[in-house]
Amino acid sequence: MTDASQGDGAPEAGDRGDEPLDADLTLHLRVGELRADETMQLRVPAPPEPPAAEGRAQRRRSARPSARERAAAVTGRLLGPLAPYARRFARRARRLKPCYPRPGRVGWRRWIPSWRQWLGATVGSVGLLSLFLVAAYALTDIPSNLNTYATQQDNVYFWSDGTPMARTGWVQRQAMPLKDIPEDVRWAVLAAENESFYSDPGISVKGLSRALYRTVGKGDTEGGSTITQQYVKNVYLNQNQTVSRKFTEAMIALKLDNKMSKDQILEGYLNTSWFGRGSYGIQRAAQAYYGKDVSRLNASEAAMLAGLLKGAGLYDPTLGKANHKRAVERWKWILDRMVKIHRLSPQERARYRTFPEPLKSNPLYNTGAQSDYLVELASQYAKKAGHLTDKQFDLGGYQIYTTFDRKREQALTDAVTKARKQAKRTNPDAAKDGHYGAASVATDGRILAVYGGPDHRTQGYNESNAATVQAGTAFLPFVYAAGLEHGAHRTRSGPATPVTPDTVYDGDDDIPVTTPEGPYWDRSGKKVTSRNDGGKSYGQITLRQALAQSVNTPFMQLGMDTGLENVRQTAEASGLLSDSIGPQVPALSLGNSTPSAIRMASGYATFAADGTHTEPYSVRRITRNGAPVALNTPRPRRAVGAQVAREVEEALADSFRAAHPATAAGGPGTAGKAGTADKDTAAWYAGTADSVSTAVVVYRMDLAKSLQPLPLKGLAGTPADDVPYALWSAAMGLG
């Protein structure tokens, strides 16, 4: 019987009949069993769920594009419309791409570019070159500072007659405004150097090409520059001959031509060019070669100077026969060029048939040793009166017109030179320390001549301007003038008693000096007395006679009666410097002051000018590059009354006539007086004639040891052969 409960169930394995189990089925069943078994599964922990807010932010970040993606999107939007054109250009560019060596050709023809390739290369090269030049022009700046050497000038000094006297400075250059340079001079230079100057753009392409060819092809450089380029080279660049300097020069020249007028460029060029003989600029060249200002040059002389611009070493006619021949040929060529460009008429050209021979040497170098002392005086005065600092003055460019008279200077120098030589022969021991100071000053204050020393290069000490030795009895006229002006005070509080030339004083030797209270006592307790030269007594004598005979004692007492302060004030008002006035003691009246020769001459000039004093000055006019410089010229002022001055002058005339009757007879109106210092340390002669005052002093001093004066030991001569007077008379033209 069959069991009903198993009728629907699955048969067991043993009940499946006799059929064997299929192997695949068996494997399948086993795998199924493994999968069904949960304990055999591999468990991987799931990541934790992020918070809701962080999840949203992360999703936004992943959705936002990056910066690179945004840039690509913008570029795409901008360039997108151009894409068709770019593709079209690319196709054309591929067609233009040269195939080289050329296909379809055989042999050497494969290596010959086609005309299209030649054209493309040429156009491309021109384009690149143009871009390069435009960029170079834009990037080139005109230097803000000129070369120091190009702006430095010298200072030129002139004699009173306007002729050159000397120059100072390392560079011999004087700038002149173009308006002061004659047109013939300008066009001579333009004809020689750059006739198309007023029409060219500042450079010469032909000249640059020629210079470049020579530089690259032959290893050297050549000119070909316009005047604008030469000016740029002179003031902005160096003189190195290189391609880079030449290129920079051309770029600056183009810019400068657009910035400055042609006249400004020409003016700068003419004032900075080298002409040889140590001179820069046409003004210095005119003076160096012809001894005149540029304003006085004619076309012939200008043509000779213009030829020097090609090279002074080759065209200075004084340097040799070959140079002279070249200079003449170039001179002719320049004049002919001026005719060709219609800047000189044939009739004018016909007048210039003879070569204008220049001076053999630069006159500004032949100044002589004595001129150095004159330059020193003039430069000091120029800076003071012109309110110029040392820095301003050293930059140069000044023309200093001095008051020095060439003839008087030569006469004075010759006289002192002769005296020095004579002293060395007759008195060599005293002569080695001998000094001779001398100066001539006009009554209007002009310093006409000075003798400063034997040689400024070895003795910078100026003997005419040195305040080192006492005036001695040459000071007596100032005491006399003070007495006449202020009178004598016999009592301390009483009124002054008038003093006249006829006022009588005691002229005896060794008399005591008195005050209203009695004798004058010095600090050592000794009674002060006055002495005459040689101990001579004269008895009662008028002041006029006392001055004429140089009697000391009356004037020592007159100084006390008038008041030493009044004596001091009168001497200073007449021209002596306050710091040279001696101590205010009785010896003041006998010349313990130490004025220089210039100041002593100025003081005596006050008496000859009717009592008006003008401070001595050595410069009458200053210009800088032709423009006037404001100058404080001294004005006359009243020092003593006119009548007083005339009375002093009359007494000095008496003194001159008494000492030199023969000379006085031939020179009326001449006045003068000798003076001797204490202990025979100095001998003077001072006086006036024809509105000129001259003072001469002879003294001894060993400059290597001290500035203490030494006894003369006969250096000043004898009364019969008085050296100071001999020098004075030579300077005044009386000898």
Side-chain angles (χ1 to χ4, degrees):
M1 169 171 105
T2 304
D3 188 353
S5 62
Q6 297 180 354
D8 297 331
E12 295 183 3
D15 296 335
R16 289 179 180 170
D18 297 331
E19 293 181 6
L21 266 176
D22 185 39
D24 292 338
L25 180 59
T26 303
L27 179 60
H28 176 73
L29 290 175
R30 291 186 180 277
V31 171
E33 291 174 0
L34 287 172
R35 289 177 178 171
D37 188 0
E38 293 182 1
T39 60
M40 297 295 292
Q41 291 180 3
L42 179 63
R43 298 182 181 274
V44 178
E49 289 291 334
E54 291 185 12
R56 287 194 297 274
Q58 183 175 355
R59 286 192 296 275
R60 282 197 299 271
R61 284 195 296 271
S62 61
R64 182 184 302 167
S66 65
R68 183 178 298 176
E69 291 171 342
R70 291 196 300 273
V74 172
T75 303
R77 286 196 298 272
L78 293 175
L79 300 181
L82 301 176
Y85 300 100
R87 288 192 293 271
R88 192 177 308 164
F89 176 77
R91 288 195 297 270
R92 293 181 180 276
R94 282 193 294 272
R95 275 197 301 238
L96 290 173
K97 180 180 179 181
C99 296
Y100 197 80
R102 295 171 63 191
R105 299 289 190 274
V106 295
W108 58 270
R109 292 182 178 84
R110 299 177 60 229
W111 303 98
I112 302 300
S114 67
W115 68 269
R116 291 186 180 88
Q117 291 170 335
W118 279 115
L119 179 62
T122 302
V123 172
S125 299
V126 171
L128 290 175
L129 180 61
S130 300
L131 288 174
F132 171 74
L133 293 176
V134 169
Y137 180 84
L139 294 174
T140 300
D141 293 324
I142 298 175
S144 57
N145 295 323
L146 302 180
N147 290 337
T148 303
Y149 202 69
T151 57
Q152 187 179 359
Q153 302 180 59
D154 59 358
N155 294 322
V156 186
Y157 299 79
F158 298 88
W159 293 102
S160 59
D161 62 2
T163 56
M165 181 183 77
R167 73 175 185 87
T168 59
W170 293 105
V171 176
Q172 195 176 139
R173 177 189 288 115
Q174 286 282 300
M176 291 294 288
L178 191 65
K179 63 181 179 63
D180 294 336
I181 301 175
E183 286 198 12
D184 281 346
V185 178
R186 303 182 214 172
W187 281 103
V189 172
L190 293 175
E193 295 293 308
N194 186 188
E195 65 183 55
S196 63
F197 169 73
Y198 279 100
S199 60
D200 65 38
I203 64 171
S204 168
V205 177
K206 180 180 179 181
L208 284 172
S209 302
R210 183 172 64 250
L212 181 63
Y213 167 74
R214 289 184 60 86
T215 302
V216 176
K218 298 188 178 182
D220 61 356
T221 57
E222 188 182 73
S225 300
T226 63
I227 278 180
T228 306
Q229 289 175 257
Q230 293 181 53
Y231 175 61
V232 168
K233 178 181 66 175
N234 289 343
V235 301
Y236 294 118
L237 305 175
N238 55 43
Q239 303 297 316
N240 295 338
Q241 297 288 338
T242 62
V243 175
S244 61
R245 200 272 296 157
K246 216 46 180 165
F247 180 78
T248 305
E249 171 192 299
M251 291 296 104
I252 296 178
L254 284 171
K255 279 206 166 182
L256 201 67
D257 194 75
N258 291 327
K259 182 179 180 180
M260 295 174 63
S261 70
K262 289 289 189 179
D263 282 349
Q264 288 175 317
I265 295 172
L266 180 59
E267 178 182 304
Y269 173 75
L270 291 174
N271 284 318
T272 57
S273 295
W274 164 256
F275 286 87
R277 292 195 179 184
S279 60
Y280 287 83
I282 191 68
Q283 166 73 350
R284 305 307 289 119
Q287 293 171 342
Y289 287 90
Y290 291 106
K292 63 176 72 173
D293 284 348
V294 65
S295 60
R296 298 169 54 198
L297 291 177
N298 58 37
S300 178
E301 294 164 336
M304 200 291 293
L305 293 179
L308 298 171
L309 292 168
K310 194 172 180 64
L314 295 174
Y315 291 92
D316 182 346
T318 64
L319 298 181
K321 292 183 178 180
N323 269 35
H324 192 278
K325 181 180 179 180
R326 282 190 293 265
V328 171
E329 290 175 353
R330 187 155 179 81
W331 166 76
K332 291 179 179 178
W333 178 81
I334 292 173
L335 288 175
D336 292 340
R337 294 286 294 177
M338 293 178 70
V339 174
K340 182 179 179 181
I341 62 178
H342 308 293
R343 294 298 171 177
L344 191 68
S345 68
Q347 294 76 19
E348 291 175 312
R349 173 67 180 92
R351 295 205 310 262
Y352 303 127
R353 294 300 179 188
T354 303
F355 181 70
E357 298 288 350
L359 301 173
K360 295 299 182 183
S361 61
N362 189 341
L364 297 179
Y365 282 122
N366 301 329
T367 60
Q370 195 60 214
S371 295
D372 294 339
Y373 296 104
L374 307 182
V375 166
E376 180 184 49
L377 286 174
S379 63
Q380 291 173 353
Y381 183 82
K383 287 185 281 189
K384 180 181 178 181
H387 304 289
L388 302 172
T389 65
D390 289 339
K391 181 178 180 181
Q392 289 174 318
F393 198 74
D394 290 344
L395 284 176
Y398 294 96
Q399 298 85 41
I400 298 99
Y401 296 87
T402 73
T403 60
F404 302 124
D405 185 296
R406 185 203 293 263
K407 293 181 179 179
R408 287 183 179 272
E409 181 64 34
Q410 190 63 51
L412 181 58
T413 301
D414 291 345
V416 178
T417 301
K418 180 180 178 181
R420 282 186 180 275
K421 292 180 179 179
Q422 179 67 21
K424 288 180 179 180
R425 287 194 300 266
T426 60
N427 195 353
D429 290 339
K432 66 181 181 180
D433 298 321
H435 298 277
Y436 302 74
S440 294
V441 179
T443 53
D444 60 4
R446 291 173 294 124
I447 302 176
L448 302 179
V450 301
Y451 181 84
D455 191 337
H456 191 274
R457 292 167 295 184
T458 58
Q459 179 189 295
Y461 173 80
N462 190 332
E463 295 169 353
S464 71
N465 201 32
T468 53
V469 295
Q470 293 185 356
T473 53
F475 188 81
L476 297 185
F478 302 105
V479 184
Y480 184 39
L484 296 173
E485 185 82 11
H486 298 283
H489 293 269
R490 305 298 184 183
T491 61
R492 184 65 63 186
S493 58
T497 302
V499 173
T500 70
D502 295 326
T503 300
V504 176
Y505 270 79
D506 189 349
D508 286 342
D509 182 55
D510 197 23
I511 59 174
V513 177
T514 62
T515 69
E517 289 79 18
Y520 183 92
W521 302 83
D522 64 16
R523 292 183 178 181
S524 64
K526 293 181 179 181
K527 187 185 295 185
V528 176
T529 62
S530 60
R531 305 295 302 269
N532 291 325
D533 289 342
K536 185 176 180 181
S537 293
Y538 295 85
Q540 296 297 306
I541 188 171
T542 66
L543 290 176
R544 179 169 178 170
Q545 290 174 325
L547 183 61
Q549 298 179 48
S550 195
V551 182
N552 295 346
T553 53
F555 290 101
M556 197 165 186
Q557 185 59 53
L558 177 63
M560 298 301 295
D561 294 343
T562 300
L564 297 179
E565 179 60 29
N566 288 331
V567 173
R568 177 188 184 93
Q569 290 177 0
T570 301
E572 291 180 11
S574 299
L576 273 61
L577 296 177
S578 60
D579 57 3
S580 71
I581 303 297
Q584 205 160 298
V585 296
L588 174 67
S589 299
L590 295 187
N592 64 6
S593 300
T594 57
S596 67
I598 292 176
R599 285 293 168 171
M600 184 65 85
S602 176
Y604 274 61
T606 299
F607 303 132
D610 286 338
T612 59
H613 171 68
T614 305
E615 279 290 288
Y617 63 98
S618 56
V619 177
R620 57 187 174 85
R621 185 164 67 95
I622 302 176
T623 60
R624 188 170 196 274
N625 299 333
V629 175
L631 194 65
N632 288 342
T633 303
R635 298 179 179 276
R637 54 181 175 77
R638 177 62 59 186
V640 296
Q643 182 60 33
V644 169
R646 284 193 287 269
E647 289 172 348
V648 174
E649 194 70 3
E650 288 172 0
L652 290 172
D654 291 345
S655 175
F656 179 74
R657 284 192 294 268
H660 310 282
T663 305
T670 303
K673 184 186 183 308
T676 55
D678 186 34
K679 298 179 182 178
D680 193 36
T681 54
W684 290 82
Y685 199 92
T688 59
D690 299 328
S691 300
V692 175
S693 173
T694 297
V696 177
V697 60
V698 179
Y699 59 99
R700 288 182 63 236
M701 185 177 292
D702 188 348
L703 299 178
K705 294 182 178 180
S706 70
L707 295 181
Q708 292 299 318
L710 304 172
L712 285 172
K713 294 184 178 180
L715 188 66
T718 64
D721 185 22
D722 186 66
V723 173
Y725 171 74
L727 299 178
W728 180 87
S729 61
M732 301 295 279
L734 302 175

